[in-house]
Amino acid sequence: MELQEAKDKFVHTWGTLATQWGINRTMSQIHALLLLSEKALNADQIMEQLTISRGNVNMNLRELMSWGLINKQLLQGERKEYFTAEKDIWKVARLIAKRRQRREIEPVIEVMDEIKAAIKPDSVENKEFLKVINDISKVGGFADTAMTAIIKADENWLASNLLKVFK
Amino acid sequence: MELQEAKDKFVHTWGTLATQWGINRTMSQIHALLLLSEKALNADQIMEQLTISRGNVNMNLRELMSWGLINKQLLQGERKEYFTAEKDIWKVARLIAKRRQRREIEPVIEVMDEIKAAIKPDSVENKEFLKVINDISKVGGFADTAMTAIIKADENWLASNLLKVFK
DNA sequence: CTGAATTTTCAAAATATTCTGAAACATTTT
DNA sequence: AAAATGTTTCAGAATATTTTGAAAATTCAG
C-alpha cells in the first residue's frame, strides 16, 4: 500500500469509526487530516482534500477547537487562518473522554438526583422505584469517578497500576 | 411529584439520554419501562404505554434481547409473549459496556493493525505516519484492556480496589 | 476610511435514521 | 383444516441530522 493511499484510508476510516461514537463524520475526518499533516492547513486546503463545502469546514473546525483537539495558528505574512491538531494521542484521548463524560455520564447522575429528591420512600411502590433510581445513580457515580481518575492520571502510571489491579 | 409522574419522567428521560450514547431512543424507553415494571409486559401493553407502533415495538424488543437486556417469557395459559428486563443494574451496565467495547474500541484496533501491516517503516514519512497509527493503537489497546477487566471483574471488588488505585 | 480577502451564518437541500401500518407469515385452538 | 390469535417484515412516510452555498459580517492592508 502506498503512503498516500494509507493516509486516505486512515482519514476515511476515522470518519466512519467516529459515527460509531456519536461524533460527526466530517469533524473526525478533518481531525484525522490534521493529525497526519505536519504543516498547518487552512480552510481551503481542507475543503479541497475532503471535497466538502466551506460552511461545513468552518463549522467543524470550530467544533474541534471547542473540544480542544485543534488550534488556530496565524502564519507570518498570511491573512488566512491555519489549523494544527494536538499530536499527543493520550492527550487527545483524555480530551475526548472528558467530553463524553460530560455528555453521557453527568446528565444521568443529575436526572437521578432530581428524581430521588422528588420521591419520598413512603410506600412499597415508591421504595421499589427508588431502588432502581438509586442503583442507576450508583453505577453512574462509579463510572464518573473512574472516568475522572483516568482522565486526571498520568497515562504511564495509570496503565501499569491499573493493569496490576486487574490481574 | 407523583410516582406515576416520576416513572413517566424516568422513561422519557432515559430515552433522551440514550440518544446521547448512540442508542435508539425507543429502545431505551422500552427498556426503562420494563425496568420499572415488576410484571412482565407484552407488545400490546408497550405499544399503548409508549404510543408507538407494533413494528417499532417488535424491532426494538428484538434488539434489546440481542443486547441481553431483556428476556422473553411465556406465561402460563397465555398465547402472547411477555418480556422482563434484567434488574441487576451492574449487570446491565456490564452488558452495555461490552457492547460498546465491541462497537467502538475493537474496530479501531483492527483498522490500525491493518494499516500497520501494510506500511513499511522505510522512509521518514512512513515512520511519521506509523507513529500516529501506533499511538492510536496503544490508546485503543489500553482502553480495550481496561474495559475488558472492568466488565469481567466483580463490581464490589472492583469499585473498592479501583478507587484505592485512584486515590 | 475603502474595498478586497477571509470568515461566519443560516435557510434550504441532501442524506440518514427511525417509525408506521398493513400484509405476510407463524402458531395455536376449535 | 380453517379460524383465531399473535409475530415479523418491509416499503414508504415522518423525523432528524448533516451539508451546501450564497449572502452577511468581519478583518485588515493600503
Side-chain angles (χ1 to χ4, degrees), chain B residues 23-32 60 63-64 67 69:
Chain B
I23 293 172
N24 180 287
R25 194 168 55 90
T26 306
M27 175 171 146
S28 296
Q29 287 183 342
I30 294 176
H31 182 227
N60 285 296
E63 187 69 7
L64 281 166
W67 284 58
L69 293 174

Side-chain angles (χ1 to χ4, degrees), chain A residues 35-48:
Chain A
L35 261 187
L36 295 186
S37 170
E38 344 62 287
K39 290 189 195 125
L41 300 179
N42 63 39
D44 288 296
Q45 294 170 314
I46 296 169
M47 281 174 67
E48 194 192 356

Side-chain angles (χ1 to χ4, degrees), chain B residues 69-84:
Chain B
L69 293 174
I70 66 170
N71 288 105
K72 196 184 278 192
Q73 214 171 52
L74 294 173
L75 253 60
Q76 178 67 291
E78 279 269 16
R79 288 254 317 252
K80 289 197 172 82
E81 295 173 336
Y82 282 76
F83 298 87
T84 50

Side-chain angles (χ1 to χ4, degrees), chain B residues 1-160:
Chain B
M1 187 157 37
E2 288 303 314
L3 181 59
Q4 193 51 50
E5 198 185 336
K7 285 186 175 182
D8 289 347
K9 175 170 182 169
F10 174 72
V11 170
H12 180 267
T13 311
W14 202 239
T16 308
L17 290 174
T19 60
Q20 300 284 314
W21 321 336
I23 293 172
N24 180 287
R25 194 168 55 90
T26 306
M27 175 171 146
S28 296
Q29 287 183 342
I30 294 176
H31 182 227
L33 187 66
L34 289 172
L35 261 187
L36 296 188
S37 170
E38 342 65 287
K39 291 189 195 128
L41 300 180
N42 63 39
D44 289 293
Q45 295 170 314
I46 295 169
M47 280 174 67
E48 193 193 356
Q49 295 250 353
L50 302 178
T51 48
I52 54 177
S53 73
R54 183 174 303 284
N56 200 3
V57 169
N58 184 270
M59 188 179 133
N60 285 296
L61 282 174
R62 270 181 316 111
E63 187 69 7
L64 281 166
M65 280 192 285
S66 91
W67 284 58
L69 293 174
I70 66 170
N71 288 105
K72 196 184 278 192
Q73 214 171 52
L74 294 173
L75 253 60
Q76 178 67 291
E78 279 269 16
R79 288 254 317 252
K80 289 197 172 82
E81 295 173 336
Y82 282 76
F83 298 87
T84 50
E86 167 59 54
K87 293 285 171 33
D88 178 345
I89 302 293
W90 287 94
K91 195 170 173 187
V92 168
R94 281 201 300 275
L95 287 167
I96 293 174
K98 204 179 294 180
R99 199 74 181 202
R100 298 190 74 174
Q101 178 185 33
R102 269 223 293 287
R103 196 172 77 172
E104 302 185 5
I105 303 177
E106 289 175 6
V108 172
I109 296 171
E110 276 171 35
V111 173
M112 295 308 115
D113 284 351
E114 212 177 310
I115 293 177
K116 267 192 274 184
I119 298 292
K120 293 301 147 218
D122 51 15
S123 73
V124 177
E125 285 114 356
N126 283 20
K127 278 181 194 161
E128 273 171 3
F129 174 63
L130 283 172
K131 165 98 171 61
V132 177
I133 300 300
N134 256 306
D135 286 350
I136 293 174
S137 228
K138 273 185 218 154
V139 172
F142 171 64
D144 197 51
T145 309
M147 201 75 160
T148 301
I150 286 172
I151 290 166
K152 277 192 188 143
D154 169 76
E155 64 265 14
N156 292 313
W157 176 85
L158 183 71
S160 57

